Amino acid sequence: EYAAAHGVADDRWVFIRGERAQVGDLCENGFKVSSDLPGMHTTKFVVVDAAGKIRGYYDYDDQAALDRLERDVAQLVSELE
């Protein structure tokens, strides 16, 4: 419902909903990113593999980081094949 209300039609996105404390706990103890940001949104992409292991952090506004993100995701996809 949230995705549709905000015009997101891509089913690859997963939105987290819950009490602020629960989402904050997931951010800080799960993804290891701060939850003390406006709207609880980090400036990083966090890549998590199929086993739930964090494989990397990538700044959304750093082209070199985004290039690494693309390579690292391709590597993870190849591991699944």
Side-chain angles (χ1 to χ4, degrees), residues 1 3-4 12-13 20 22 26 31 40-41 51-53 56 69-72 74 78:
E1 290 175 8
R12 294 175 295 178
W13 284 91
R20 186 171 180 86
Q22 292 172 310
L26 176 62
F31 294 118
M40 296 179 72
H41 287 96
K53 179 181 175 190
L69 169 64
E70 188 173 348
R71 282 192 315 269
D72 292 352
S78 73

Side-chain angles (χ1 to χ4, degrees), residues 5 7 9-11 14 20 23 27 29 35 38 40 43 47 51 53-54 59-61 64 74 80-81:
D10 188 330
D11 64 357
V14 176
R20 186 171 180 86
V23 175
C27 289
N29 297 311
S35 66
M40 296 179 72
T43 60
V47 174
K53 179 181 175 190
I54 295 174
D59 288 311
Y60 81 95
D61 63 350
L80 294 173
E81 297 173 342

